């Protein structure tokens, strides 16, 4: 008899404590729609973490209404410009917004007739673009005696440019600022690799210039693309995808107004050069800036 009374008392206490906990738990105070809205004001990283907090948070944090906010406002237009129309339609209609977000982070899509790739930076959802070799202005690029065009499995583009031999080395990319994320500090990176029989890129530095077209405020820098291993620091970095990159410069995209960013590299033509393969020039946000 006493055990039954004690059990009932304990059961009542647990019910009261559970009721108090429920009152203090935001998931029972606020409707799921409000929780989703609050989470949408955070970041993709925060939303991913909150989805692991509890079942109620997971449902809200994984909702389309949250991840729609993290996608660029013009993502449908960008995807519809994909070189594969059927694939772009499938992405928009079949994937959840969260799955679409992470797909775009890890699988750059080709746009502008296979000359440009688009992806998202996973931490922030900001836009990343790479202008492929076919979208670049390459001095003597249309002359087979100087440049070859070939396909490589490790390239995201159908074609890359392989240098046979030149004295004058110049490559230019032009990107409209309106397609980039606003209020964002971007870095521009040359994406390339060498073949074994290379020449000339360890002799004289390449000059890099990243600037807004029409501006006189240029901040040029120079670096050897193929420095000796004992030279420090090594400015070229392995990307982990079979390619190497070197930062050409950076710029701040304020409001994304109509304008053009020019990314240029050149060498004066005093040294014969050969043996470099160009995949493209990538513009991506500099993390934390």
């Amino acid at each position: 008899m006493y055990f039954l009374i004690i059990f009932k008392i304990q059961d009542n206490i647990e019910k009261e404590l559970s009721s108090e906990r429920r009152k203090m738990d935001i998931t029972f105070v606020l409707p799921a729609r409000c929780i989703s809205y609050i989470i949408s004001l955070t970041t993709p990283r925060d939303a991913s973490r909150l989805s692991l907090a509890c079942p109620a948070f997971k449902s809200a944090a994984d909702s389309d209404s949250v991840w729609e906010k993290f996608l660029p406002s013009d993502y449908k237009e960008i995807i519809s410009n994909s070189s594969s129309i059927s694939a772009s339609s499938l992405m928009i209609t079949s994937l959840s917004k969260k799955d679409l977000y992470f797909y775009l982070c890890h699988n750059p899509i080709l746009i502008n007739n296979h000359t440009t790739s688009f992806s998202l930076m996973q931490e922030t959802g900001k836009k990343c673009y790479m202008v492929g070799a076919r979208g670049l202005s390459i001095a003597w690029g249309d002359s087979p005696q100087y440049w070859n065009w070939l396909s490589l499995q490790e390239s995201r583009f159908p074609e890359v440019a392989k240098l046979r031999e030149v004295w004058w080395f110049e490559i230019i990319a032009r990107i409209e600022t309106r397609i980039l994320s606003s209020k964002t500090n971007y870095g521009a990176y040359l994406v390339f690799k060498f073949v074994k029989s290379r020449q000339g890129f360890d002799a004289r530095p390449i000059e890099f210039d990243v600037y807004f077209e029409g501006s006189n405020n240029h901040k040029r820098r120079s670096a050897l693309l193929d420095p000796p291993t004992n030279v420090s620091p090594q400015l070229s970095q392995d990307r982990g995808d079979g390619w190497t990159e070197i930062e050409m410069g950076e710029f701040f995209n304020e409001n994304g107004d109509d304008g053009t960013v020019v990314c240029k590299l050149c060498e004066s033509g005093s040294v014969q050069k050969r043996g470099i393969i160009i995949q493209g020039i990538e513009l991506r946000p500099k993390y934390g800036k």
Side-chain angles (χ1 to χ4, degrees):
M1 180 68 178
Y2 289 114
F3 287 108
L4 181 61
I5 294 173
I6 291 172
F7 176 78
K8 287 183 177 180
I9 292 173
Q10 288 179 331
D11 185 52
N12 288 335
I13 292 173
E14 286 297 323
K15 288 180 178 178
E16 290 179 7
L17 288 174
S18 177
S19 177
E20 289 301 316
R21 291 192 193 103
R22 290 168 65 93
K23 290 177 183 178
M24 297 175 63
D25 191 336
I26 188 174
T27 62
F28 291 103
V29 176
L30 294 176
R33 185 170 57 184
C34 290
I35 297 174
S36 294
Y37 176 73
I38 293 171
I39 296 175
S40 73
L41 300 177
T42 63
T43 66
R45 176 181 290 180
D46 292 334
S48 296
R49 290 174 176 174
L50 287 170
S51 70
L52 304 176
C54 69
F57 271 160
K58 178 174 176 56
S59 176
D62 289 347
S63 66
D64 279 355
S65 61
V66 167
W67 289 90
E68 180 91 25
K69 295 285 188 179
F70 298 146
L71 288 164
S73 59
D74 57 347
Y75 76 91
K76 290 183 179 179
E77 178 183 350
I78 295 171
I79 294 175
S80 66
N81 192 25
S82 168
S83 301
S84 174
I85 302 299
S86 59
S88 65
S89 299
L90 185 64
M91 279 191 288
I92 293 176
T93 57
S94 65
L95 295 179
S96 70
K97 295 300 185 289
K98 181 178 181 179
D99 288 342
L100 176 59
Y101 179 92
F102 283 103
Y103 181 90
L104 293 174
C105 291
H106 300 295
N107 302 276
I109 62 171
L110 297 183
I111 59 176
N112 299 337
N113 197 26
H114 294 86
T115 63
T116 308
S117 73
F118 165 79
S119 61
L120 297 177
M121 176 168 277
Q122 182 170 322
E123 294 84 358
T124 62
K126 292 181 180 291
K127 300 175 181 177
C128 307
Y129 288 92
M130 185 189 294
V131 181
R134 279 295 186 189
L136 301 173
S137 174
I138 301 177
W140 308 106
D142 294 329
S143 301
Q145 65 267 38
Y146 300 120
W147 290 87
N148 284 341
W149 293 88
L150 62 154
S151 298
L152 292 181
Q153 185 177 2
E154 61 269 29
S155 174
R156 68 180 62 174
F157 299 101
E159 289 183 301
V160 295
K162 179 182 177 182
L163 176 61
R164 297 189 64 187
E165 185 176 273
V166 294
W167 289 81
W168 180 260
F169 185 72
E170 182 180 86
I171 300 175
I172 301 173
R174 287 182 169 84
I175 301 96
E176 295 180 349
T177 57
R178 64 178 180 81
I179 70 172
L180 303 173
S181 297
S182 61
K183 308 293 183 184
T184 302
N185 197 51
Y186 274 91
Y189 304 84
L190 175 69
V191 182
F192 66 98
K193 65 167 59 181
F194 287 114
V195 299
K196 289 183 179 180
S197 58
R198 57 188 183 260
Q199 175 185 325
F201 293 99
D202 59 347
R204 285 182 61 85
I206 301 296
E207 292 187 356
F208 300 110
D209 203 357
V210 177
Y211 59 95
F212 292 102
E213 195 166 55
S215 170
N216 294 320
N217 186 23
H218 296 205
K219 295 182 180 179
R220 294 184 178 89
R221 62 177 67 181
S222 62
L224 289 173
L225 286 188
D226 189 25
T229 55
N230 61 348
V231 172
S232 182
Q234 293 283 318
L235 300 179
S236 298
Q237 302 292 327
D238 186 348
R239 288 168 56 93
D241 60 358
W243 295 89
T244 299
E245 70 177 24
I246 187 169
E247 184 174 346
M248 300 173 60
E250 63 181 80
F251 63 95
F252 186 74
N253 190 42
E254 180 67 37
N255 298 315
D257 297 331
D258 289 340
T260 301
V261 172
V262 179
C263 306
K264 179 180 179 180
L265 60 141
C266 66
E267 200 276 315
S268 62
S270 59
V271 177
Q272 190 179 46
K273 290 162 284 294
R274 66 162 63 99
I276 191 172
I277 300 175
I278 304 296
Q279 181 177 198
I281 292 178
E282 183 174 50
L283 272 68
R284 67 174 185 265
K286 302 194 73 172
Y287 184 68
K289 294 185 179 181

